[in-house]
Amino acid sequence: ILFCRFFFCRCREPLPKCMSVDELWRAKQLYDSAFHPDTGDKMNIIGRMSAQVPMNMLITGGMMAFYKSTPAVIFWQWLNQSFNALVNYTNRSGDASLSDKQLLTSYVFATGGAVATALGLNKALKNGPPLIGRLVPFAAVAAANCVNIPFMRAQELRDGTPIYDQNDNRLGNSKAAAQSGIKQVICSRIAMATPGMVLTPFVMNHLERRGTLCRYPWATLPIQVALLGVCLTFATPLACAVFKQKAEIRFSDLEPELKEKLEKKLGKDIPYILFFNKGL
């Protein structure tokens, strides 16, 4: 409530004596993490970025522990892409909405692409080194991100995403900004997954060669989940920091029709740099 009063209503009332500036900023952080920056809607708790570490620890751990069995590959890839689809929709850019048909199409393509990639690589590398086999889930996840994110945010590619000047004045919708934002999100998601899904196979392969996993087979899943948890704890905020949610785009990089429209509207006051929410 206090955050809304001070930041949205722009009330000039002083802070209550019982609340410090640090507590107000803490309230702002909580609000920003729970509500969509463009629509203002409260986001699904599992789809928030704060759920990335615990959810990915469990799902990715399962994908990497049970990568040899075909039914297990299908199940874990389906579960992972179901989670990713929810995250991608929850953290979409702008106020675009998808129809049930678009959501279903996006979900089927993304899940099918991930499962097909994982099964195809498993079959092709069946007689390859164990370490290569352990890296198959990472390849499937990277490939699926390239499919899942654009499909779940296809509306932005068609209609564009809102762009703003430095004073947060909305100037229109840009397809070029949407394309840039989606590319950045794909790179960000792959960057989040890379440390855990690449480092963990090397550690597990080393433990397997030493015979540790043969003596303690029950430890395979807990060890992988713990390693992934450590990697994701650092990789997730780092990837979000490198690929900032409030992205920038130069006026010269906008599509011609939008540039022409803004030139007529703003004249000589056209900003060199514009801003947009790329999503997470």
Side-chain angles (χ1 to χ4, degrees):
I1 294 173
L2 282 169
F3 169 71
C4 291
R5 285 175 59 192
F6 281 91
F7 288 86
F8 284 98
C9 299
R10 300 185 180 178
C11 219
R12 296 185 180 274
E13 297 177 13
L15 279 173
K17 293 182 179 180
C18 61
M19 188 176 202
S20 67
V21 174
D22 288 340
E23 289 173 330
L24 179 63
W25 279 106
R26 174 59 177 164
K28 179 185 185 304
Q29 292 170 350
L30 291 173
Y31 182 91
D32 289 344
S33 70
F35 292 84
H36 195 280
D38 291 324
T39 65
D41 296 334
K42 189 174 183 179
M43 297 186 290
N44 185 293
I45 190 170
I46 298 178
R48 300 175 194 173
M49 291 306 293
S50 56
Q52 281 285 299
V53 173
M55 292 298 296
N56 273 323
M57 279 175 61
L58 299 174
I59 296 174
T60 309
M63 281 194 297
M64 298 181 71
F66 309 107
Y67 67 94
K68 294 182 180 180
S69 165
T70 297
V73 168
I74 294 174
F75 171 75
W76 286 105
Q77 289 293 339
W78 164 78
L79 183 61
N80 184 53
Q81 290 312 309
S82 298
F83 170 64
N84 283 343
L86 178 60
V87 171
N88 294 334
Y89 178 75
T90 301
N91 293 280
R92 65 196 183 281
S93 172
D95 47 14
S97 60
L98 289 175
S99 66
D100 292 341
K101 182 179 179 180
Q102 290 171 323
L103 282 173
L104 181 60
T105 302
S106 303
Y107 175 73
V108 169
F109 270 95
T111 306
V115 172
T117 301
L119 292 177
L121 289 174
N122 273 343
K123 185 176 180 180
L125 302 172
K126 188 175 183 179
N127 298 320
L131 177 59
I132 301 300
R134 290 183 183 276
L135 290 170
V136 167
F138 172 65
V141 167
N145 273 322
C146 296
V147 177
N148 195 324
I149 296 170
F151 267 101
M152 290 303 295
R153 296 174 58 176
Q155 193 74 20
E156 295 171 45
L157 295 173
R158 283 192 292 268
D159 301 334
T161 194
I163 56 172
Y164 304 85
D165 62 16
Q166 61 183 359
N167 298 317
D168 289 333
N169 296 312
R170 184 167 177 169
L171 301 178
N173 285 13
S174 170
K175 296 178 183 179
Q179 293 170 8
S180 174
I182 288 173
K183 289 176 184 176
Q184 291 181 57
V185 171
I186 291 173
C187 293
S188 174
R189 295 290 181 81
I190 294 176
M192 288 180 196
T194 299
M197 297 193 76
V198 172
L199 176 63
T200 301
F202 281 94
V203 174
M204 299 306 293
N205 192 61
H206 176 69
L207 294 177
E208 188 175 52
R209 289 169 61 184
R210 290 186 56 184
T212 304
L213 299 182
C214 292
R215 293 194 299 272
Y216 309 103
W218 54 268
T220 300
L221 184 59
I223 291 174
Q224 291 194 135
V225 170
L227 286 171
L228 287 165
V230 171
C231 291
L232 286 167
T233 298
F234 293 97
T236 301
L238 280 173
C240 289
V242 172
F243 300 93
K244 296 182 292 183
Q245 184 171 12
K246 188 175 182 179
E248 300 178 359
I249 186 171
R250 292 179 298 182
F251 175 79
S252 58
D253 293 334
L254 297 177
E255 53 268 42
E257 56 272 20
L258 181 57
K259 286 197 290 186
E260 183 179 351
K261 179 181 177 181
L262 292 179
E263 285 171 349
K264 291 180 179 178
K265 179 180 179 181
L266 302 176
K268 295 181 179 180
D269 296 328
I270 297 174
Y272 176 71
I273 295 293
L274 298 167
F275 303 91
F276 65 98
N277 170 31
K278 73 167 181 60
L280 290 172

